[in-house]
Amino acid sequence: MTDFSTIYKLSLVAVTCLIQACSSSCPVLECWFVQEKAGRGGGLTAATTQEKSLLHVRTDPNRAESRHTPSDISPDRVYFVTDPAATLCHRSLNPPKGSIKKPQCEINPFLPQISSLKWVTPLTDSAFSPVYLQADWYSAALQGLNKQMGVSTIMRAPTASKENNVVLSVTSKTVLVKARLGKPVLLDCGFWVDPSSPLAGMGFAVEWRYQFRGEGRLVLAYDGKTDRLADTQEEGAMLDFEGLHTKGNASLILQEAKVRHSGTYICTVYLPFLLAQTAMELDIVEPPSLSIHPSPLPLAVPGQTLVVQCEASGFAPLSLELSWEFKGADGKTRPLETSSVTGHRQAWDGTFGQTARLELDVSKMDLGTGGELTCVAVHPGGTRRASTTLSVIGFSTPTIEDSMAMVGVALVLYGLIKFVSWTFTSSGSDQADKPDKKEK
């Protein structure tokens, strides 16, 4: 926990410096104002409308801002926002002029209300609604360029005014996280509360939820007012409570990443009558381990069909491409056609396995005297390879060295045959001469 706390503090200092550096040029944010029309009769669902809008951001309420409004935006949808924390002045929300890419921004009307969640109800035990709530409230959700940052803010404006003040902001610098299996994971979430707001001293609550393919669960919930964790805390999930109370660090720490952790995580911060939340994606990415069977490969002969299997195991997510390559004695590599690939198998830890089968027809595939056979696995976690040696015996086409050796052997054999033939011929002549000598 100490390491994560130190990392968070250093990143907080860096972000603060960057924010201060660009606070002198806070952006004019182009947003969509989305709201529901009044419902029609018969209990039909209200229709949704969206209009172009502008947010003129500043850190000092006394600083004058340009009041120019483009012709395609209604003056009623131009808002002037004071953000003392300069969260909305982050560089990812302020692209260079003329840039095609724009940060995503959506504004909605917001209605302060009491929450029924047991870790939030202590914030409004008195059920007293302060006069402070009698105003115009808006929520804004933003995502910076290249998913550098996610921001959610709650803004308050006096009734019928366009001068908004940020009361609560929740941010994340880990909009998209990729983690290896078994490693610790930090999901960043920080919040800021306007110290001048009457709600600032009434406590807070933090909630983390998980969603994946329509299903969800509560990961962790903490009541900062009574300093209590909800009973539904998930094993291996924790907060830095010291940083939570002193720095607004509501980051979630997963001590050991597992396949079931892949999905969407939502960090929600509650104040009395208010809430803001930001979402982030966590992908557990583990590349496969490869093994070739049989190992080592038996000697292959022409006319034989050799069956080889490549087993990929322990990978996540499912996406995987298996293929074969052969590198001959000439050093050239060429692909081989895979005979078949099995379906996915799931292990006890949630990882997956798959097997590729290769049939080697030694006579038809022109494998020469053999070479290196390689199984290649392409996965989002990286490309993996496993190799083994293939040896072919009884190959019919001789090399130049073999031909020269055969010629040499033939010459030697020829010489021996001539010598033996001459020897026997001479011996036979001597034996024939002996009877002639006796007769004489």
Side-chain angles (χ1 to χ4, degrees), residues 83-371:
D83 181 14
T87 303
L88 298 178
C89 300
H90 190 267
R91 65 183 184 278
S92 66
L93 302 175
N94 192 6
K97 290 184 178 180
S99 175
I100 298 177
K101 293 183 177 181
K102 303 287 184 182
Q104 301 176 22
C105 177
E106 181 178 310
I107 308 173
N108 308 95
F110 181 82
L111 179 63
Q113 55 186 328
I114 295 175
S115 173
S116 60
L117 296 172
K118 61 182 181 180
W119 48 87
V120 184
T121 51
L123 302 179
T124 53
D125 278 341
S126 63
F128 172 72
S129 181
V131 178
Y132 177 76
L133 297 180
Q134 298 175 10
D136 292 336
W137 292 84
Y138 301 95
S139 66
L142 305 96
Q143 188 174 101
L145 297 175
N146 301 319
K147 296 185 177 181
Q148 294 181 45
M149 176 179 260
V151 182
S152 177
T153 63
I154 301 297
M155 303 177 293
R156 178 188 181 275
T159 304
S161 171
K162 299 301 178 185
E163 302 289 337
N164 285 263
N165 291 293
V166 175
V167 177
L168 170 64
S169 61
V170 177
T171 63
S172 176
K173 300 185 293 295
T174 56
V175 179
L176 179 61
V177 181
K178 294 183 183 294
R180 292 287 299 270
L181 197 65
K183 302 296 183 180
V185 180
L186 175 67
L187 299 177
D188 176 70
C189 181
F191 70 95
W192 176 86
V193 181
D194 182 4
S196 66
S197 169
L199 304 180
M202 298 175 65
F204 68 90
V206 174
E207 173 191 279
W208 279 92
R209 287 190 177 273
Y210 167 86
Q211 290 183 350
F212 183 68
R213 295 180 179 176
E215 297 182 359
R217 64 176 183 267
L218 178 66
V219 177
L220 184 148
Y222 174 70
D223 175 6
K225 185 175 181 179
T226 62
D227 192 27
R228 290 183 180 179
L229 278 170
D231 295 335
T232 54
Q233 180 183 9
E234 183 171 316
E235 183 180 357
M238 56 192 299
L239 297 173
D240 175 7
F241 294 103
E242 180 182 355
L244 180 61
H245 284 273
T246 60
K247 301 292 185 180
N249 175 11
S251 300
L252 179 69
I253 301 168
L254 300 175
Q255 293 179 316
E256 184 179 352
K258 300 179 180 179
V259 175
R260 64 182 180 85
H261 288 147
S262 289
T264 302
Y265 287 80
I266 302 173
C267 174
T268 305
V269 177
Y270 295 88
L271 296 183
F273 309 100
L274 306 180
L275 69 89
Q277 60 184 203
T278 186
M280 57 210 78
E281 296 291 330
L282 172 60
D283 292 334
I284 304 302
V285 181
E286 185 68 18
S289 297
L290 299 181
S291 59
I292 296 178
H293 304 283
S295 181
L297 295 179
L299 294 174
V301 297
Q304 178 187 12
T305 299
L306 187 63
V307 178
V308 187
Q309 290 187 339
C310 176
E311 183 177 349
S313 60
F315 62 90
L318 278 172
S319 178
L320 182 70
E321 294 182 7
L322 290 172
S323 60
W324 295 90
E325 292 179 351
F326 177 75
K327 183 178 181 180
D330 57 0
K332 295 181 180 180
T333 301
R334 73 176 192 268
L336 299 178
E337 185 176 350
T338 302
S339 300
S340 62
V341 178
T342 65
H344 289 92
R345 305 177 301 274
Q346 191 163 19
W348 62 272
D349 60 354
T351 58
F352 300 96
Q354 198 170 22
T355 302
R357 186 171 182 268
L358 176 68
E359 293 184 1
L360 290 171
D361 189 328
V362 181
S363 300
K364 297 180 180 179
M365 299 184 72
D366 187 21
L367 301 176
T369 57

Side-chain angles (χ1 to χ4, degrees), residues 11-145:
S11 63
L12 186 64
V13 171
V15 170
T16 302
C17 294
L18 288 170
I19 288 175
Q20 291 175 347
C22 61
S23 60
S24 59
S25 58
C26 292
V28 177
L29 295 169
E30 299 177 9
C31 302
W32 288 102
F33 186 89
V34 181
Q35 65 177 339
E36 293 182 349
K37 289 183 177 179
R40 299 181 179 179
L44 297 176
T45 303
T48 301
T49 63
Q50 62 179 22
E51 305 172 71
K52 286 185 177 181
S53 63
L54 285 183
L55 290 185
H56 291 268
V57 183
R58 59 195 176 189
T59 57
D60 183 359
N62 298 318
R63 182 181 176 184
E65 296 286 347
S66 172
R67 301 278 169 164
H68 173 70
T69 303
S71 58
D72 60 339
I73 297 179
S74 169
D76 293 337
R77 293 292 171 249
V78 178
Y79 301 92
F80 296 89
V81 180
T82 301
D83 181 14
T87 303
L88 298 178
C89 300
H90 190 267
R91 65 183 184 278
S92 66
L93 302 175
N94 192 6
K97 290 184 178 180
S99 175
I100 298 177
K101 293 183 177 181
K102 303 287 184 182
Q104 301 176 22
C105 177
E106 181 178 310
I107 308 173
N108 308 95
F110 181 82
L111 179 63
Q113 55 186 328
I114 295 175
S115 173
S116 60
L117 296 172
K118 61 182 181 180
W119 48 87
V120 184
T121 51
L123 302 179
T124 53
D125 278 341
S126 63
F128 172 72
S129 181
V131 178
Y132 177 76
L133 297 180
Q134 298 175 10
D136 292 336
W137 292 84
Y138 301 95
S139 66
L142 305 96
Q143 188 174 101
L145 297 175

